[in-house]
Amino acid sequence: RDPKLGDRLLAELSSILLNSDSPKPLLTALLNGANDRGLPADLAYLDLLRDAENPTPLRTKALEILLQTENPHQAQAIAIALASDAAELRRLAASDLATRDLETLLEIAQGPESPTENPATTPLLNILTRQPDPRADPWLARLVGALEDDRLSSDKRLDVVLAAEASTDPELQFRIQRYKAGFEDSGRLGWKRLAAEGGAAESGRQVYEEHVAAQCVRCHNAGGADAQVGPLLNGVGQRLDRLELL
C-alpha cells in the first residue's frame, strides 16, 4: 500500500540479511528485486565487500551475490576483491573474470606475484586447457620452465601440463612431452601421479555427480543408502591416501 516504505524496507532488508545466515538464493532474489526497483541495495553489498574489517566469509558472500546479479558495480567489486588480502576473495574474482575477459585475466596472471600466489593462475590454466590462446603462450612457457626446473608448486603442476598439452605451440608441446617422459620409471601411474596434489573438493563433487564420461554415480554411492554396483565411497578419503585413490 505504501510503495516508498516497501522500497526502503527492500533496500534495508537486503543488507540486514547479508549479515545473517540467510541462503544465497534468497539474498540474490532480494538484490534482483531491489535492482528492478532502481534501489541502491547493491551499494550496501559493495560497502560490505570494501570494508576489510568485515569477516572474510561475509565479504565473500557479498561478492558472490554481486557477481550473480545484474548490477552496474560488478567491475568495481572484482577490482576490490583482486586487491584484497583475502585469498578466497581473489580466487573468486579471478574465476569470475575468467568467464568475462581473458585478456584482463592474462594481464593479472603476468603480475609480480609468483604463480603459486597469483589468484589468476589456476583459472587461466583451466581456460587454456579447454580453449588454447596463443596470447598466453609466452606466459605458459615461463610456467613450463618453472615446471622443468622443479620451481613450481606441486598443486599447479598438473594444470600446467594439461594447458601446455592443449597449446598449439609445437615447442610447448615438445617440452611437456619430454617432461612427462621423465615419469616412465615412476610406476603404473606415471605422470598422472601429479593429480595427487592440489585439486578442489567442489570440482571433484561436480565430476562425481555430473561428468558425462565418468558416470561415477552409476556405480558408486557416496552419501545415501541405495545399493550400488561399486564400493560405497563414504569416508574413502580417510581410508586411502591420494595415490591409493588414483
Side-chain angles (χ1 to χ4, degrees):
R1 296 181 181 181
D2 188 339
K4 291 184 178 180
L5 176 61
D7 285 351
R8 181 169 63 82
L9 290 175
L10 182 59
E12 293 176 355
L13 190 60
S14 296
S15 179
I16 292 171
L17 289 179
L18 186 62
N19 285 279
S20 70
D21 293 328
S22 300
K24 282 185 288 187
L26 172 60
L27 295 168
T28 302
L30 282 171
L31 183 54
N32 278 327
N35 288 334
D36 288 343
R37 296 284 296 167
L39 304 175
D42 48 352
L43 291 176
Y45 284 51
L46 197 64
D47 288 340
L48 285 168
L49 172 63
R50 184 183 289 110
D51 189 350
E53 297 298 319
N54 284 327
T56 297
L58 174 62
R59 299 175 71 199
T60 300
K61 187 189 292 186
L63 178 60
E64 288 176 333
I65 302 304
L66 285 167
L67 296 179
Q68 291 170 4
T69 54
E70 293 296 330
N71 66 82
H73 302 292
Q74 289 182 341
Q76 188 176 358
I78 289 173
I80 291 171
L82 288 173
S84 167
D85 290 334
E88 180 59 30
L89 286 176
R90 297 200 307 272
R91 283 194 295 269
L92 180 59
S95 296
D96 184 83
L97 192 60
T99 67
R100 303 168 185 264
D101 188 349
L102 178 63
E103 190 169 344
T104 301
L105 185 66
L106 179 58
E107 183 178 338
I108 296 169
Q110 293 171 327
E113 294 175 289
S114 71
T116 301
E117 300 297 330
N118 195 307
T121 299
T122 297
L124 182 54
L125 287 171
N126 289 339
I127 289 176
L128 295 175
T129 298
R130 301 188 303 272
Q131 300 174 337
D133 192 313
R135 292 174 297 175
D137 284 344
W139 172 78
L140 187 55
R142 290 196 294 274
L143 290 186
V144 171
L147 180 68
E148 293 168 329
D149 297 339
D150 200 24
R151 293 183 287 107
L152 193 67
S153 60
S154 58
D155 62 311
K156 297 289 188 293
R157 293 173 186 171
L158 179 62
D159 291 335
V160 171
V161 168
L162 296 178
E165 275 191 318
S167 171
T168 56
D169 185 331
E171 175 65 19
L172 278 177
Q173 292 178 352
F174 170 77
R175 290 170 64 186
I176 215 62
Q177 293 304 321
R178 183 176 60 189
Y179 175 79
K180 288 169 58 177
F183 287 86
E184 290 180 354
D185 297 330
S186 300
R188 188 162 52 113
L189 288 175
W191 68 272
K192 294 179 181 177
R193 63 179 52 247
L194 295 173
E197 301 291 342
E202 177 60 20
S203 298
R205 183 194 64 77
Q206 291 177 356
V207 169
Y208 171 78
E209 294 181 354
E210 304 170 11
H211 197 284
V212 176
Q215 293 284 307
C216 304
V217 294
R218 295 190 65 180
C219 295
H220 297 280
N221 195 298
D226 296 337
Q228 299 284 327
V229 175
L232 187 69
L233 297 181
N234 285 12
V236 69
Q238 282 74 50
R239 299 193 300 271
L240 302 173
D241 64 30
R242 289 190 171 208
L243 284 177
E244 288 173 328
L245 285 170
L246 287 174

